[in-house]
Amino acid sequence: MSLKTVEWKDNSVVMIDQTKLPNVLEYVTYTDYNQVAEAIRTLVVRGAPAIGVSGAFGMALAALQSKSETKRDCYLILKKQKRLSLKQDLLQ
């Protein structure tokens, strides 16, 4: 049996809620990049590879939800969001 820690499914991010392990195997689905960011912050997903994939999927959700007309605008929005997130993390 193969378990996927994090996967992209139907324009959403599905991941194992690692805060429930080892007693319960529960999958959670996120449809908004803010939810994915919160999942990373609260350690729902753990481990550098899984966190990296979750972050990338969160950025994909942000691009999908953007009202931007061009890919360049989406990139700039995501870059600005990441910079603000890192700044907030450093200030806490």
Side-chain angles (χ1 to χ4, degrees), residues 12-68:
S12 61
V13 181
V14 180
M15 63 180 74
I16 295 174
D17 184 344
Q18 294 187 25
T19 63
K20 307 276 173 91
L21 295 175
N23 298 325
V24 177
L25 177 60
E26 181 179 315
Y27 286 88
V28 289
T29 302
Y30 300 105
T31 57
D32 183 82
Y33 71 94
N34 291 304
Q35 296 171 320
V36 175
E38 185 63 20
I40 293 169
R41 269 192 292 277
T42 59
L43 299 178
V44 169
V45 61
R46 297 177 189 174
I51 290 170
V53 170
S54 298
F57 285 161
M59 290 175 46
L61 282 175
L64 282 174
Q65 295 166 0
S66 171
K67 293 179 179 24
S68 174

Side-chain angles (χ1 to χ4, degrees), residues 21 40 47 56 74 85 90:
L21 295 175
I40 293 169
C74 287
S85 176
L90 291 173

